[in-house]
Amino acid sequence: MKDLTLTEEMFLLAVWKLKEEAYGVTIRQYVSEETGRTYPYGTLYSALDKLARKGFLARSTGDPSPERGGRRKYYYHITGQGIGALRAAMELKRLLWDSDTEIALSKI
Amino acid sequence: MKDLTLTEEMFLLAVWKLKEEAYGVTIRQYVSEETGRTYPYGTLYSALDKLARKGFLARSTGDPSPERGGRRKYYYHITGQGIGALRAAMELKRLLWDSDTEIALSKI
DNA sequence: GAATATTTTTACGATATTTCGGAAAAATAG
DNA sequence: CTATTTTTCCGAAATATCGTAAAAATATTC
């Protein structure tokens, strides 16, 4: 099981957090608001695609119901495997960044 | 300031943790013990090199004093910039993985 | 129903970066 | 000279990221 890259981790986490409202635009916006990093669509969709191919995300076609027109959205949902990948990422961070580490680093 | 990749982060943290004892072999071993991931030397030294080029690590030639012979070690030391990079990584992780997130994820 | 406005996704080649392997070379002590 | 330790080498293959214009899909207005 390969590690998630940082961007994969961010997008996957965003999908999970956004629950039923995760589609391209909101995902990009969420990450941007939380971290201050704004990604081009190329990066975003290519990462979402890869996460879907790996089985960490599933995609569903949204009902067309925007108020002023516009293309259908594709909603993303995290899968069980996706949760597993997030858990693994969390665990790895915990191994590396135990609380002693964090405290020591903030004291310098 | 670009983000650290996961492997860069691991090796940089390892150097910091190992203090005066950080050289190729111990760094590799430390990461392996902490995370269960064993990296080939190609990956290790190429990452250390990159970290040094970025100014996050400095290298010093070790006194030749191994007990049974062997090549000189090159010790790595984290720089001020390196500390900064670790801090940034820590902060980013905090933004993404706040405690609510961690709790929610462990409850599933 | 045609034209327009709006929203969202797709496309895709170019670049840059990362990771791998592991044998070979270098440096040193006995 | 031999044993030991550590680093270097290096090209190949896999991946990641970028940029952004264009296309697709839908609602609204006339």
Side-chain angles (χ1 to χ4, degrees):
Chain A
M1 217 170 291
K2 292 207 42 188
D3 291 310
L4 296 171
T5 65
L6 179 57
T7 45
E8 285 180 311
E9 180 182 313
M10 289 197 287
F11 291 138
L12 190 52
L13 210 36
V15 169
W16 182 57
K17 290 278 212 158
L18 287 166
K19 305 190 177 172
E20 303 306 311
E21 286 307 322
Y23 68 100
V25 172
T26 54
I27 293 167
R28 181 163 175 266
Q29 188 178 14
Y30 177 88
V31 168
S32 170
E33 282 168 3
E34 292 292 310
T35 72
R37 286 159 176 75
T38 303
Y39 290 93
Y41 282 108
T43 305
L44 168 69
Y45 284 108
S46 133
L48 290 176
D49 217 53
K50 193 181 37 183
L51 287 168
R53 279 199 310 274
K54 286 188 188 173
F56 297 160
L57 288 179
R59 207 176 81 151
S60 74
T61 304
D63 278 342
S65 61
E67 302 209 339
R68 282 185 285 276
R71 192 171 173 172
R72 267 161 197 262
K73 304 171 172 78
Y74 287 103
Y75 288 102
Y76 289 89
H77 319 274
I78 196 163
T79 63
Q81 277 189 65
I83 298 274
L86 281 185
R87 278 234 188 74
M90 186 168 87
E91 178 58 19
L92 177 57
K93 280 188 208 314
R94 218 197 295 280
L95 290 172
L96 291 165
W97 293 90
D98 57 69
S99 52
D100 288 351
T101 307
E102 302 204 17
I103 289 164
L105 191 56
S106 16
K107 274 192 186 155
I108 296 175
Chain B
M1 218 170 288
K2 291 206 43 188
D3 291 311
L4 296 170
T5 65
L6 179 57
T7 45
E8 284 180 313
E9 181 182 312
M10 290 197 287
F11 290 138
L12 191 52
L13 256 180
V15 169
W16 182 58
K17 290 276 212 163
L18 289 166
K19 304 189 177 173
E20 303 307 311
E21 287 306 323
Y23 67 99
V25 173
T26 54
I27 293 167
R28 180 161 174 268
Q29 189 178 12
Y30 177 89
V31 167
S32 170
E33 282 168 3
E34 293 291 310
T35 71
R37 287 159 176 74
T38 303
Y39 290 92
Y41 282 108
T43 305
L44 169 69
Y45 283 107
S46 132
L48 290 176
D49 217 53
K50 191 180 39 180
L51 287 167
R53 279 200 311 275
K54 286 188 189 173
F56 296 160
L57 288 178
R59 205 176 83 150
S60 74
T61 303
D63 277 344
S65 62
E67 303 207 337
R68 282 184 285 276
R71 190 172 177 173
R72 268 161 195 260
K73 304 171 174 79
Y74 287 103
Y75 288 101
Y76 289 88
H77 319 273
I78 195 163
T79 63
Q81 277 189 65
I83 298 274
L86 281 186
R87 278 234 188 75
M90 187 170 87
E91 178 58 19
L92 176 57
K93 176 179 76 77
R94 217 197 293 281
L95 289 172
L96 291 166
W97 293 89
D98 56 68
S99 51
D100 288 351
T101 307
E102 302 203 16
I103 290 165
L105 192 56
S106 14
K107 274 191 187 156
I108 296 175

